Amino acid sequence: MDPRLVPISKFLAKHLRHAPGEIGLTLDGEGWAGVDELLAASARHGFAIAYDDLVAVVETNDKRRYAFDATGDRIRAVQGHSVAVDLGLEPREPPETLWHGTVERFLTSIFERGLVPGTRRHVHLSADVETARKVGARRGRPAILQVAAGRMHRDGLTFYRSENGVWLVDAVPSGYLSRMG
Ligand code: HQG
């Protein structure tokens, strides 16, 4: 992605996932904001975004974090919210194994309490080890947990997959976790 677009992507993450009210924006129940409203609200708050740059962020963002609706009139973050939204995702059967990247200092608590969502709506799991390693590395030296997703699913726990390929689940009890690296 063009480095010039990174601050725009971060601004969108903040306001489409966590703090729409801070710029006077309202998300609907599925997390959508009107594109015109978003651009106006951003400009009003001293962060004017050109429409073409918004499109470029949606299309070239490294993790495809944002999407327009079919008409192109609305935009939302495809995962990672802390505000209450229902993304309308259908339950899906996960692969037998998924991965979670974290850091050593959280492990004692994780093995006591399982993985919990913290401020977000879901626990985020990765389909491959490399992605989990990157997620963990945001906080320090990564510790990788293997998640027995197939067994969880057979035990009746529900999985979703966001549009950009992140697996989402309400929580992961510690009995489904093992340390991999
Ligand atoms: C930890 C980024 C103590 C958990 C990434 C994590 C991801 C516990 C942190 C997405 C715990 C929550 C999400 C427990 C979980 N005790 N710590 N019982 N249970 N934790 O940021 O998974 O770039 O909310 O291990 O790539 O790190 O923003 O979740 O370290 O996909 O698109 O609590 O965010 O995507 O942190 O990251 P987060 P995450 P974006």
Side-chain angles (χ1 to χ4, degrees), residues 42-160:
S42 307
R44 261 198 327 272
H45 286 77
F47 196 90
I49 302 170
Y51 174 73
D52 288 353
D53 285 346
L54 186 70
V55 173
V57 170
V58 171
E59 286 175 357
T60 65
N61 179 257
D62 56 348
K63 287 199 200 156
R64 312 291 287 186
R65 291 179 178 91
Y66 315 102
F68 291 116
D69 69 3
T71 65
D73 292 340
R74 299 184 303 168
I75 183 171
R76 72 176 178 183
V78 300
Q79 40 75 220
H81 299 81
S82 57
V83 294
V85 292
D86 176 358
L87 295 170
L89 299 173
E90 294 295 328
R92 279 184 68 155
E93 185 174 341
E96 201 51 37
T97 302
L98 288 169
W99 308 93
H100 181 81
T102 186
V103 279
E104 180 92 37
R105 64 182 184 279
F106 293 161
L107 290 180
T108 306
S109 163
I110 288 173
F111 278 107
E112 266 167 33
R113 301 170 53 215
L115 286 173
V116 295
T119 59
R120 301 192 201 245
R121 311 299 297 171
H122 294 100
V123 169
H124 290 218
L125 303 174
S126 307
D128 60 274
V129 178
E130 210 29 62
T131 305
R133 201 177 300 285
K134 284 186 198 147
V135 172
R138 286 151 56 238
R139 298 199 157 79
R141 198 162 70 83
I144 309 297
L145 297 173
Q146 184 167 354
V147 178
R151 186 156 60 84
M152 280 178 74
H153 185 253
R154 288 189 288 281
D155 290 346
L157 292 142
T158 305
F159 285 77
Y160 304 92

